[in-house]
């Protein structure tokens, strides 16, 4: 049950998208997001959707997997859409009782808003689907390295990130085990009101925290045994190198963003 | 002998309908009789843990049925919690499930979930603590400041306190030192002797199973490989070794003696029994 959670799972593969330098991919996603927020009207949204579709096709990530990842955010999308639908000022669609509250502008805003959230999430999902967590943190480490001059602990931050990612499956497995053990002692997680249910989680959360601390402690010892001493003078096993394709990708997305800004000013 | 648990054609498939689907247990039939100690052996991944999680309804069979006292436990799914009180399951490394502020309250968690009154809970907690050899003064301490072996006793007591008809223990001695192992096994034997309840002991240590079980079921690759008394099972020592299971040291010695032409039987699994046989061969002399 808990194991079925998708958390930006990595789809291994060897496609042009997978092969891009993770730093290039992060920059592309940032440009993509900026472009997405510039989109204003049907033409620009269509262009953004097209770009995303092309990228997904190149990456060979199945569309089903992309939409499955969207499942938890459908409610948020629906909520913002409904809110926009009813609370945007403008000309009403019709004089009928319910439709009186819906405006033409509201309908457009609701549609665009939903589309924007979906495109945003799918775009970022494509990044995590095609980039392994390790590559991602390495890329962040490299991209944020200028901040080291400001004494910002970049290496520590990315190390924490990769450790957190690495322990998610372990902790999920552990939670499953503890839930089973407490169920075997008659714990009841399914009945009762909100407060009773929250209280019923205590026998799961306490052992989970205890074991998380124990694991952290053991990990720290293991790292010290292997002479870990932070990022100073540390070399990487996989050295990131920009290739021609990375330059092309970044340039393409930069052009896309520029185009969106132009389209925005044209009101398209 | 009266059956207490009957497992009929049990199959459990993990991740059904995905490319990762695999059968952890396949077409398994097994009967557990009232009052016996049944040992379940098999190496990692043979389906032991999956099997025992079916006995108290933590997992639902993909196919097949589990009968407790003649009734299918999934007949009324809403009563599955009652089954969990009747079949007490102690997980592997159960000390990681402790959560309460005091040992007393942790052991009382199961009985309290059963909805018993305070006096009954108190009696059960004290009896269960005594059964696993926890001294009275430990009851008021935090379970987190105890040693590993004591934590495990607390966790086992937490299940015993529900006074289940069938007590299932998954590798109760894993990770303990020899003295801790012997102590826990001794207490389980004593618990069984006093109450006459059914005990199912899962382990991959042959010695442990050989010395404690009345009957043994051996699982291999999701199926039941053999079933019988310890001497029946260890008589097929070569088969056990072929599927990668170990046999007791004494059985190995007997097999080696056989190879050298000493006519001892290979179904021995205790040093005492082997000594008796060798003595008989030497005409009653001292060896």
């Amino acid at each position: 049950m808990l194991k079925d959670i998708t958390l930006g799972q990595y789809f291994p593969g060897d496609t042009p998208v997978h092969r891009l330098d993770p730093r290039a991919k992060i920059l592309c996603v940032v440009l993509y997001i900026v472009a997405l927020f510039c989109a204003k009207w049907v033409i620009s949204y269509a262009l953004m959707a097209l770009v995303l579709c092309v990228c997904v096709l190149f990456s060979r990530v199945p569309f089903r997997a992309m939409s499955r990842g969207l499942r938890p955010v459908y409610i948020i999308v629906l909520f913002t859409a409904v809110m926009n639908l009813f609370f945007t000022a403008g000309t009403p669609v019709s004089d009928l009782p319910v439709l009186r509250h819906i405006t033409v502008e509201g309908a457009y805003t609701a549609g665009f808003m939903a589309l924007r959230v979906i495109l945003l999430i799918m775009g970022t999902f494509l990044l995590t689907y095609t980039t392994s967590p390790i590559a991602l943190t390495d890329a962040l480490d490299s991209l944020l390295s200028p901040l080291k001059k400001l004494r910002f602990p970049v290496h520590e931050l990315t190390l924490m990130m990769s450790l957190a990612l690495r322990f998610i499956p372990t902790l999920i497995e552990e939670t499953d085990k503890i839930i089973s053990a407490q169920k075997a002692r008659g714990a009841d997680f399914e009945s009762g009101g909100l407060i009773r249910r929250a209280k019923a989680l205590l026998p799961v959360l306490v052992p989970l925290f205890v074991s998380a601390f124990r694991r952290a402690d053991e990990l720290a010892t293991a790292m010290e045994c292997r002479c870990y001493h932070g990022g100073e003078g540390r070399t990487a096993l996989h050295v990131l190198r920009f290739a021609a394709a990375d330059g092309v990708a970044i340039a393409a997305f930069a052009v896309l963003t520029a185009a969106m800004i132009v389209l925005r000013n044209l009101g398209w | 002998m009266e059956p207490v648990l009957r497992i009929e054609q049990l199959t459990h498939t993990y991740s059904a309908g995905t490319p990762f689907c695999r059968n952890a247990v396949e077409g398994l039939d097994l009967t557990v009789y009232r009052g016996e100690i049944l040992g379940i052996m098999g190496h990692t991944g043979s389906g032991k843990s999956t099997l025992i999680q079916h006995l108290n309804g933590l997992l639902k069979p993909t196919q097949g049925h589990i009968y407790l006292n003649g009734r299918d436990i999934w007949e009324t799914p809403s009563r599955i919690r009652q089954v969990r009180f009747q079949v007490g399951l102690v997980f592997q490394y159960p000390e990681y499930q402790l959560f309460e502020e005091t040992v007393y309250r942790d052991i009382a968690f199961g009985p309290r979930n059963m909805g018993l009154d305070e006096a009954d809970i108190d009696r059960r907690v004290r009896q269960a603590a005594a059964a696993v050899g926890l001294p009275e003064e430990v009851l008021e301490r935090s379970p987190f400041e105890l040693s590993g072996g004591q934590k495990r006793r607390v966790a086992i007591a937490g299940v015993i306190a529900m006074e289940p008809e069938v007590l299932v223990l998954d590798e109760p001695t894993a990770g303990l030192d020899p003295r801790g192992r012997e102590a826990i096994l001794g207490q389980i034997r004593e618990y069984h002797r006093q109450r006459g309840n059914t005990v199912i002991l899962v382990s991959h240590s042959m010695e442990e199973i050989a010395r404690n079980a009345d009957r043994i079921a051996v699982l291999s690759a999701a199926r039941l490989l053999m079933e019988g008394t310890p001497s029946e099972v260890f008589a097929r020592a070569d088969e056990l070794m072929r599927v990668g299971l170990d046999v007791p040291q004494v059985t190995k010695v007997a097999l080696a003696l056989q190879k050298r032409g000493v006519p001892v039987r290979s179904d021995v699994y205790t040093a005492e029994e082997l000594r008796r046989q060798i003595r008989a061969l030497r005409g009653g002399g001292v060896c």
Side-chain angles (χ1 to χ4, degrees):
Chain A
M1 45 175 215
L2 280 174
K3 279 181 200 142
D4 302 333
I5 291 177
T6 343
L7 229 146
Q9 271 160 347
Y10 173 52
F11 268 80
D14 189 29
T15 67
V17 182
H18 282 86
R19 278 195 298 270
L20 280 181
D21 186 297
R23 289 171 297 179
K25 274 190 268 191
I26 291 180
L27 287 176
C28 287
V29 169
V30 170
L31 287 168
Y32 169 85
I33 293 172
V34 173
L36 191 59
F37 276 91
C38 290
K40 202 174 178 187
W41 200 243
V42 183
I43 296 173
S44 36
Y45 273 103
L47 186 63
M48 290 309 293
L50 184 75
V51 168
L52 181 71
C53 283
V54 169
C55 293
V56 174
L57 284 177
F58 264 120
S59 71
R60 300 230 185 102
V61 174
F63 270 98
R64 256 224 331 247
M66 300 286 295
S67 59
R68 194 181 50 209
L70 274 179
R71 221 179 280 157
V73 290
Y74 276 145
I75 295 181
I76 303 173
V77 171
L78 206 68
F79 182 74
T80 38
V82 169
M83 282 310 211
N84 277 302
L85 200 57
F86 284 99
F87 296 106
T88 311
T91 40
V93 182
S94 142
D95 288 334
L96 294 168
V98 181
L99 294 179
R100 204 173 38 211
H101 300 288
I102 300 175
T103 60
V104 180
E105 289 81 357
Y108 276 120
T109 326
F112 287 147
M113 212 44 145
L115 203 59
R116 181 181 288 174
V117 175
I118 290 173
L119 287 176
L120 179 73
I121 289 169
M122 283 182 126
T124 43
F125 264 42
L126 190 63
L127 174 70
T128 51
Y129 273 145
T130 59
T131 321
S132 73
I134 302 220
L136 218 50
T137 44
D138 280 352
L140 268 185
D141 198 6
S142 159
L143 283 174
L144 295 178
S145 57
L147 291 178
K148 278 181 191 156
K149 294 218 173 68
L150 303 173
R151 299 193 170 234
F152 184 78
V154 175
H155 176 77
E156 282 72 12
L157 190 78
T158 51
L159 179 78
M160 279 195 296
M161 260 184 62
S162 51
L163 288 182
L165 287 169
R166 186 239 164 274
F167 274 105
I168 287 173
T170 317
L171 288 179
I172 287 178
E173 209 175 291
E174 186 108 1
T175 314
D176 255 350
K177 233 189 249 167
I178 296 170
I179 287 179
S180 295
Q182 305 301 22
K183 270 189 181 167
R185 294 207 280 164
D188 183 6
F189 301 109
E190 274 115 35
S191 63
L194 194 65
I195 293 177
R196 236 189 104 180
R197 277 186 200 216
K199 263 191 177 163
L201 279 181
L202 207 65
V204 176
L205 292 179
V206 172
L208 193 62
F209 270 100
V210 171
S211 94
F213 280 116
R214 183 175 45 84
R215 275 180 202 284
D217 217 26
E218 281 168 7
L219 182 74
T221 314
M223 283 168 77
E224 245 160 45
C225 287
R226 293 202 264 167
C227 304
Y228 176 81
H229 56 86
E232 210 59 47
R234 194 173 158 83
T235 54
L237 177 60
H238 302 286
V239 183
L240 296 174
R241 275 196 193 88
F242 274 117
D246 303 313
V248 172
I250 295 173
F253 274 90
V255 170
L256 175 74
T257 312
M260 290 315 259
I261 293 170
V262 174
L263 285 178
R264 185 185 175 83
N265 289 329
L266 290 176
W268 282 0
Chain B
M1 280 190 294
E2 184 198 351
V4 55
L5 268 172
R6 199 153 53 81
I7 300 147
E8 204 180 86
Q9 281 300 308
L10 175 71
T11 297
H12 190 88
T13 313
Y14 280 116
S15 318
T18 71
F20 307 106
C21 98
R22 88 197 150 81
N23 284 347
V25 176
E26 222 175 304
L28 189 130
D29 287 301
L30 185 66
T31 306
V32 185
Y33 297 100
R34 191 176 300 283
E36 72 173 347
I37 299 188
L38 173 72
I40 298 182
M41 306 195 307
H43 47 78
T44 322
S46 61
K48 294 175 302 199
S49 295
T50 308
L51 168 65
I52 58 169
Q53 287 185 57
H54 279 91
L55 301 182
N56 70 345
L58 279 176
L59 291 177
K60 199 172 179 177
T62 310
Q63 268 168 44
H65 300 276
I66 313 284
Y67 297 95
L68 175 65
N69 293 323
R71 277 179 61 144
D72 189 335
I73 60 168
W74 286 100
E75 195 180 274
T76 36
S78 54
R79 287 179 51 81
I80 203 71
R81 263 182 87 210
Q82 297 308 315
V83 173
R84 291 184 188 145
F85 299 135
Q86 282 168 285
V87 181
L89 173 56
V90 181
F91 271 83
Q92 218 177 100
Y93 297 104
E95 55 271 31
Y96 295 144
Q97 72 188 31
L98 302 177
F99 69 99
E100 272 288 9
E101 284 161 44
T102 65
V103 170
Y104 182 95
R105 289 175 53 146
D106 209 286
I107 300 177
F109 181 64
R112 193 151 282 151
N113 284 331
M114 296 170 82
L116 302 170
D117 60 65
E118 282 303 321
D120 206 7
I121 292 176
D122 188 68
R123 176 188 63 78
R124 283 171 180 236
V125 169
R126 290 181 196 283
Q127 275 185 4
V132 295
L134 283 173
E136 283 272 327
E137 63 266 22
V138 171
L139 289 179
E140 291 314 315
R141 284 172 64 189
S142 159
F144 296 107
E145 47 187 56
L146 302 181
S147 71
Q150 274 186 319
K151 275 187 200 165
R152 183 156 311 172
R153 281 154 209 255
V154 174
I156 295 175
V159 175
I160 287 182
M162 302 192 302
E163 301 191 344
E165 276 182 74
V166 182
L167 178 67
V168 188
L169 299 128
D170 190 358
E171 304 265 7
T173 60
L176 295 182
D177 58 21
R179 189 186 293 171
R181 261 172 215 229
E182 212 18 79
I184 288 213
L185 287 170
Q187 277 145 7
I188 292 168
R189 275 198 305 266
E190 184 60 21
Y191 161 85
H192 174 259
R193 200 183 58 76
Q194 282 184 4
R195 313 217 181 166
N197 284 355
T198 316
V199 175
I200 299 178
L201 189 64
V202 178
S203 174
H204 53 229
S205 154
M206 294 305 128
E207 249 93 22
E208 230 172 84
I209 294 262
R211 266 184 291 117
N212 294 291
D214 302 320
R215 232 156 45 86
I216 301 179
V218 183
L219 298 192
S220 174
R223 291 173 178 280
L224 186 68
L225 184 72
M226 50 178 101
E227 183 195 347
T229 61
S231 31
E232 278 166 8
V233 167
F234 291 121
R236 295 159 74 182
D238 46 341
E239 252 177 280
L240 288 174
M241 292 201 271
R242 211 171 317 132
V243 298
L245 284 169
D246 206 8
V247 295
Q249 290 291 337
V250 178
T251 312
K252 278 189 198 159
V253 172
L255 280 174
L257 284 173
Q258 265 186 346
K259 255 185 211 141
R260 287 164 197 232
V262 183
V264 290
R265 296 207 317 271
S266 68
D267 61 357
V268 291
Y269 53 89
T270 58
E272 294 74 31
E273 171 62 16
L274 185 63
R275 192 191 296 151
R276 206 185 51 73
Q277 281 197 27
I278 294 174
R279 233 183 231 165
L281 285 174
R282 294 182 49 169
V286 184
C287 64

